[in-house]
Amino acid sequence: MKKIILGFDPGLAILGFGAIECQINDKTQEQEAVSLIDFGVIKTPAKTELGKRLCIIYDDVNQLLTHIKPDLAIVEKLFFYRMANTIAVAQAKGVLLLVLAQHQIPLVEFTPGQVKKALTGHGNADKYQVQQAVARELNLTEIPRPDDAADALAVALTAWFDPDIMFQYPLSS
């Protein structure tokens, strides 16, 4: 059987996404293979009114979910130092969560430390080490760009590495 996982790196200006397909043995329930489906970003123009930017995210995520048809969505938990940036990203993340709920797609969140540990073996890995792990695990010849898309793929792969997550959520399609 296969399970499609769609990872997100939330942001207002740039929202990264990455979709992977996970092959699972029907008889043994063991994870067999993971492959890349798609990755990219949703961008909103900086000088556009906030409500319109959130509408762009809403519409584009709706289209993405209709196209990819994920069984599970994974989102990175927010962690910021600057309050103004945190609020804007939280608003964008709220729209993302709304669309996922409307599509009835189960959601799991991971902290940045959990993602780093799953992909590199330690929670204090740098961004480049995580990106190298994403390329290696998906058999890519180069690191996915932009960084937001690579981060979204890292979040999706974190679920792949966690058998409890993989089997806790049944196939939705």
Side-chain angles (χ1 to χ4, degrees):
M1 90 176 127
K2 69 176 182 174
K3 183 175 276 195
I4 296 174
I5 300 175
L6 184 56
F8 290 98
D9 180 30
L12 179 63
I14 302 173
L15 185 149
F17 68 87
I20 58 174
E21 180 178 289
C22 307
Q23 296 292 331
I24 302 164
N25 185 303
D26 288 330
K27 293 179 183 171
T28 65
Q29 294 294 297
E30 290 182 12
Q31 297 159 274
E32 294 182 333
V34 63
S35 59
L36 177 67
I37 296 174
D38 195 9
F39 67 90
V41 295
I42 296 169
K43 293 183 178 183
T44 65
K47 298 201 187 266
T48 304
E49 182 247 324
L50 175 63
K52 289 181 181 176
R53 293 176 84 177
L54 296 175
C55 284
I56 291 168
I57 291 170
Y58 180 88
D59 292 341
D60 287 1
V61 171
N62 256 312
Q63 280 187 320
L64 183 65
L65 295 178
T66 300
H67 175 70
I68 301 284
K69 295 180 178 46
D71 298 296
L72 180 62
I74 311 296
V75 179
E76 188 172 53
K77 287 186 180 181
L78 299 180
F79 181 77
F80 287 99
Y81 297 104
R82 294 187 329 239
M83 183 55 79
N85 192 31
T86 303
I87 291 170
V89 174
Q91 290 169 326
K93 183 177 177 184
V95 170
L96 172 63
L97 298 182
L98 169 67
V99 179
L100 291 170
Q102 288 175 331
H103 283 259
Q104 299 179 353
I105 297 170
L107 170 71
V108 174
E109 292 185 277
F110 290 115
T111 66
Q114 288 173 303
V115 174
K116 291 173 182 181
K117 184 167 182 160
L119 270 74
T120 69
H122 54 93
N124 60 351
D126 65 32
K127 189 180 239 358
Y128 185 68
Q129 290 172 313
V130 173
Q131 291 171 344
Q132 285 180 311
V134 167
R136 182 180 59 251
E137 293 299 328
L138 295 173
N139 296 313
L140 304 175
T141 57
E142 53 190 45
I143 292 171
R145 296 283 180 229
D147 289 353
D148 308 86
D151 292 348
L153 286 168
V155 171
L157 283 167
T158 300
W160 165 251
F161 291 135
D162 188 334
D164 293 335
I165 297 294
M166 289 300 296
F167 298 111
Q168 180 179 355
Y169 298 95
L171 296 173
S172 59
S173 44

